[in-house]
Amino acid sequence: MTTTHPTPLWQPSEERIRNSRLHHFQGWLEQRTGQQFRDYDALWRWSVDHLEAFWEAIWQYFDVVASEPYTEVLDSHEMPGAQWFEGSRLNLVEQIFRFHHDQPDRPAILSRSELRPLQSLSWGELRRQVAALASRLRERGVGPGDRVVAYLPNVAETVVAFCACASVGAIWSSCSPDMGTRSVLDRFRQIDPKVIIAVDGYRYGGKDFDRLEVVRGLREALPTVEQMILLPYLDPEARLDGADLWRDMVEGETPMTFEQVPFDHPLWVVYSSGTTGMPKPIVHGHGGTLLEGLKGHALHMDLGPEDRFMWFTTTGWIMWNSQITGLMVGSTICLYDGNPGYPDLGTLWRFAEETELTFLGAGAAYFLNCKKAEIEPGQWLTPGRLKSVGSTGSPLPEEGYQWIMDQLGDVMIATISGGTDVAAAYVGGCPILPVYSGEMQCRYLGTATYAMSDDGRILEDEVGELVVTKPMPSMPLYFWNDAEGLRYHDSYFDVFPGIWRHGDWIRITPRGGAVIYGRSDTTINRHGIRMGTSEIYRVVEEFPEVLDSLVVDLEYLGRESFMPLFVVLREGQSLDEDLKNRIKSAIRDNLSARHVPNDIVPTPEVPRTLTGKKMELPIKKLLLGQSLDKVANPDAMANPDSLTFYIDYAERRDTANGAGQVKTG
């Protein structure tokens, strides 16, 4: 617990406050409403107390282009089910191309990869390629509501493909080519795609990975696909029978048009995994994504047309979608595809200098790895150019904040927490507030975020469940193939009826900032990529030697993430190195390298409830240091004696790590 009045790690200058977009918005809002906001907290409270007035102000301040006006801002505060800006018609991609008409040669995208040198795609060329590809898609019968899926890396072509897809009203969904076949099919099969755009392979860490056979398999396993587009990336001469070549699809001059769609027309399907069943196919809309993106990137990240913005990501993480939002505020976005630690951890810092970044974002693990490796970014950076550093994916502890400040000096540390579920942030940066070590600066405007106890009380300066008590425009429209909304409801509203529960532990500080402590549920969040335990079980339990399994991610602020996989073996089997390696390889090949367990441990039994459910969360809490009487009721278990093994395991880990109990509220 931090003290009530700690010393700020960073304080924005008066000039920075005065020139910030948030300061300008506040002044505009005061003139428009006659309100006076003495500080950020007053502005935030007004924004959640007057939800409709706030979001209408966002619409008007950013002059959102719509071919039809809205008839009502919000029909009710009921969750789920709130309807935003009904009657309006717009297109998110139209917002992207509102910028730099008088400077068509200005860079829209700067990109580099392990396969390519630095490349620049101008705003004019971006517009031309998007228009050409959109025209080809229309010619092939792709229109509003059709699904276009991408198996592509973090390169400029992927941005072009998304913009073309969304401009015709089709629905986008992407996976990174480092994801295994099963993991990709578990996602794409659910949405019946009409078009797949894929890469032939990629390079990572100096090694080449051919993906043509995987792509063939995807096409065969997706019977609804009518067209495939191949991007030769690893091998410029790569070809695939029946597939159109990317270069042919983006040739020529074609007028740009934007399909006008309702505010809640589906924009993309992203995936967030729970503990049971297939990955959840979450559908977000054009309008909600647009408004949340403008607010978050312009006001909280302080990005605009003069900025160069990068968040290191893959196309399978929601932060790739966040990069698209950089274009929506007119910034140049900078993409890097490859291993950020190859040939050394200075790679992204050198890229930052090469592209003249003003905002660099990455997963918290990257900054901590740089600290451990004693990287000194200042040796590569022009002093004063980099204004902000963003971090997300897992909690950034105090030593991470201190390292960034020691190395970079006068930068805003914009640590954010939100997620795939809302394609937005709940808490994060604020250019007019100080930064306190280990603490996110504020709750985002228009976002009624709180810490809540198990019995439904709002907590002050205590750790509780992260909840949102009023609707956000970017909350999911629905889950695909969930007509009754049952899975959607069970994912967020089953614990606190009518209140969104995100699944993180959070503490709201006396200053109005926030500290995230890790996942409060059992979703595995490794380096920002979330995966459900059920996906891991499907792979592990296919091994004939394995009868049962249990996996938990022991992530908590101040502790390095550690993911053990417990396996129950058939009689007569032993967990030798060969079996361990085969299990790890299967997870790596079918799911992702990020979700290979740190250790595989033989266990006599998997604890289960009387109804047969694996007791993942109680075991996670036990291994994080909570006492047994607080995490499990033996009378509600089918096999209470199974807990003995995990109690002993927890004690052995605490002894080995020199760790005490972790208090989670």
Side-chain angles (χ1 to χ4, degrees):
M1 191 77 70
T2 57
T3 58
T4 303
H5 300 289
T7 302
L9 189 64
W10 174 82
Q11 182 79 46
S13 66
E14 288 299 320
E15 180 183 12
R16 178 153 189 174
I17 292 173
R18 186 170 57 252
N19 293 332
S20 70
R21 304 192 75 180
L22 180 56
H23 178 74
H24 184 270
F25 171 74
Q26 181 176 330
W28 174 88
L29 188 63
E30 287 177 341
Q31 282 192 331
R32 182 175 180 271
T33 63
Q35 298 281 330
Q36 292 295 313
F37 305 108
R38 67 183 182 278
D39 54 21
Y40 177 83
D41 186 64
L43 178 61
W44 174 79
R45 292 187 184 280
W46 180 87
S47 75
V48 297
D49 290 343
H50 301 83
L51 205 59
E52 291 86 345
F54 169 76
W55 284 107
E56 185 168 39
I58 291 292
W59 181 291
Q60 295 178 356
Y61 178 75
F62 288 104
D63 189 25
V64 171
V65 174
S67 58
E68 296 289 338
Y70 54 86
T71 56
E72 186 177 27
V73 174
L74 179 61
D75 69 341
S76 78
H77 286 192
E78 183 180 355
M79 294 188 293
Q83 299 291 312
W84 291 89
F85 293 95
E86 289 185 277
S88 63
R89 297 185 72 84
L90 42 69
N91 190 292
L92 177 142
V93 182
E94 191 165 8
Q95 174 72 27
I96 290 175
F97 289 107
R98 296 179 66 183
F99 296 95
H100 308 300
H101 285 287
D102 57 340
Q103 298 173 299
D105 295 331
R106 187 182 180 117
I109 303 173
L110 296 172
S111 59
R112 170 186 280 282
S113 75
E114 292 188 28
L115 283 165
R116 294 173 174 175
L118 184 68
Q119 297 180 338
S120 176
L121 187 68
S122 70
W123 281 93
E125 180 64 9
L126 175 64
R127 186 182 185 97
R128 188 200 64 75
Q129 290 190 24
V130 169
L133 180 57
S135 176
R136 302 294 193 287
L137 291 174
R138 284 191 179 97
E139 289 170 0
R140 287 157 174 78
V142 178
D146 290 328
R147 275 77 67 204
V148 175
V149 298
Y151 189 61
L152 294 172
N154 184 32
V155 293
E157 289 92 337
T158 313
V159 179
V160 171
F162 161 75
C163 290
C165 167
S167 72
V168 303
I171 304 169
W172 171 265
S173 191
S174 63
C175 284
S176 173
D178 64 350
M179 295 175 67
T181 305
R182 178 179 300 190
S183 188
V184 175
L185 286 175
D186 281 350
R187 287 154 174 78
F188 288 169
R189 270 179 175 152
Q190 297 188 65
I191 63 173
D192 296 330
K194 191 170 189 176
V195 177
I196 181 170
I197 308 174
V199 75
D200 67 309
Y202 64 96
R203 181 174 294 166
Y204 189 87
K207 297 180 181 179
D208 291 345
F209 296 86
D210 190 315
R211 281 291 186 260
L212 274 180
E213 285 305 313
V214 174
V215 172
R216 287 191 182 95
L218 293 177
R219 181 170 61 180
E220 292 172 2
L222 297 170
T224 58
V225 169
E226 298 176 6
Q227 180 189 8
M228 172 168 280
I229 302 169
L230 180 70
L231 170 62
Y233 178 55
L234 179 62
D235 176 10
E237 302 303 317
R239 300 293 184 270
L240 197 61
D241 289 345
D244 290 304
L245 285 178
W246 173 267
R247 69 186 183 197
D248 298 332
M249 299 294 287
V250 295
E251 285 184 341
E253 298 283 346
T254 307
M256 172 67 84
T257 58
F258 305 101
E259 186 75 27
Q260 297 299 295
V261 296
F263 185 90
D264 61 356
H265 182 79
L267 173 69
W268 51 43
V269 180
V270 292
Y271 305 90
S272 182
S273 298
T275 58
T276 59
M278 301 288 281
K280 296 177 292 190
I282 301 170
V283 184
H284 292 128
H286 276 246
T289 302
L290 173 60
L291 290 187
E292 288 278 7
L294 292 174
K295 178 203 72 177
H297 282 55
L299 302 186
H300 287 276
M301 292 186 186
D302 202 25
L303 291 170
E306 301 305 316
D307 286 293
R308 294 192 172 185
F309 168 58
M310 170 199 179
W311 206 295
F312 178 72
T313 182
T314 72
T315 55
W317 187 18
I318 195 63
M319 297 314 295
W320 182 86
N321 307 70
S322 176
Q323 285 197 141
I324 297 294
T325 307
L327 293 173
M328 284 162 41
V329 296
S331 299
T332 297
I333 62 172
C334 302
L335 317 177
Y336 186 82
D337 180 51
N339 185 340
Y342 179 83
D344 58 67
L345 284 164
T347 294
L348 294 188
W349 300 109
R350 291 189 290 269
F351 180 67
E353 177 65 13
E354 185 178 32
T355 55
E356 302 181 357
L357 283 183
T358 59
F359 191 115
L360 183 151
Y366 175 72
F367 299 114
L368 295 175
N369 287 336
C370 286
K371 176 183 180 296
K372 291 176 184 176
E374 299 183 348
I375 295 292
E376 297 181 356
Q379 65 183 294
W380 298 294
L381 301 176
T382 297
R385 178 183 288 150
L386 189 64
K387 299 189 301 182
S388 303
V389 171
S391 174
T392 194
S394 59
L396 183 68
E398 290 189 15
E399 59 265 29
Y401 279 76
Q402 190 64 57
W403 179 83
I404 293 171
M405 194 57 55
D406 289 345
Q407 295 294 325
L408 302 176
D410 186 19
V411 295
M412 178 176 74
I413 303 176
T415 306
I416 66 171
S417 184
T420 302
D421 310 81
V422 291
Y426 308 115
V427 293
C430 180
I432 67 173
L433 289 177
V435 171
Y436 293 90
S437 186
E439 185 175 318
M440 299 176 203
Q441 290 166 280
C442 67
R443 290 175 278 194
Y444 266 29
L445 294 175
T447 307
T449 303
Y450 300 92
M452 183 167 280
S453 66
D454 290 345
D455 58 2
R457 292 179 295 108
I458 299 295
L459 301 174
E460 299 290 343
D461 203 23
E462 292 183 58
V463 178
E465 292 276 359
L466 191 163
V467 299
V468 181
T469 61
K470 294 184 179 181
M472 298 167 61
S474 65
M475 283 177 173
L477 303 177
Y478 49 84
F479 289 177
W480 202 266
N481 293 328
D482 182 31
E484 301 298 320
L486 298 178
R487 196 178 183 199
Y488 181 20
H489 179 275
D490 290 347
S491 296
Y492 308 113
F493 301 101
D494 63 331
V495 175
F496 305 112
I499 294 175
W500 174 286
R501 171 186 169 271
H502 182 66
D504 279 344
W505 278 305
I506 190 173
R507 176 170 61 90
I508 304 299
T509 72
R511 294 162 297 284
V515 181
I516 297 288
Y517 290 84
R519 294 295 298 173
S520 64
D521 63 13
T522 55
T523 300
I524 306 295
N525 186 342
R526 302 281 278 179
H527 309 293
I529 309 300
R530 295 174 64 186
M531 187 165 292
T533 54
S534 61
E535 296 185 77
I536 296 174
Y537 298 146
R538 284 203 299 275
V539 172
V540 173
E541 292 171 18
E542 281 189 353
F543 281 84
E545 298 93 336
V546 177
L547 283 175
D548 204 355
S549 61
L550 181 80
V551 66
V552 292
D553 187 16
L554 304 181
E555 177 195 45
Y556 198 81
L557 183 62
R559 285 190 175 188
E560 189 171 349
S561 174
F562 181 82
M563 190 176 92
L565 169 66
F566 300 97
V567 293
V568 180
L569 299 173
R570 290 186 183 276
E571 188 175 353
Q573 300 292 331
S574 63
L575 187 64
D576 56 19
E577 288 303 311
D578 175 66
L579 180 56
K580 283 186 178 181
N581 290 333
R582 284 189 286 125
I583 291 173
K584 289 180 178 180
S585 294
I587 293 172
R588 182 182 295 108
D589 295 342
N590 286 286
L591 300 176
S592 89
R594 294 174 176 83
H595 292 81
V596 173
N598 295 95
D599 194 14
I600 303 178
V601 182
T603 181
E605 288 184 272
V606 169
R608 292 183 179 272
T609 66
L610 291 173
T611 58
K613 293 182 179 179
K614 298 183 184 188
M615 294 177 58
E616 296 164 318
L617 188 55
I619 296 302
K620 175 178 178 175
K621 290 181 177 180
L622 180 69
L623 299 186
L624 283 172
Q626 289 197 20
S627 60
L628 178 62
D629 60 343
K630 290 185 177 180
V631 302
N633 176 8
D635 292 338
M637 293 182 60
N639 52 350
D641 292 343
S642 65
L643 292 172
T644 302
F645 171 86
Y646 298 91
I647 294 169
D648 292 342
Y649 181 85
E651 291 176 351
R652 292 197 304 272
R653 270 194 52 78
D654 276 351
T655 300
N657 296 336
Q661 287 193 344
V662 176
K663 300 299 183 184
T664 58

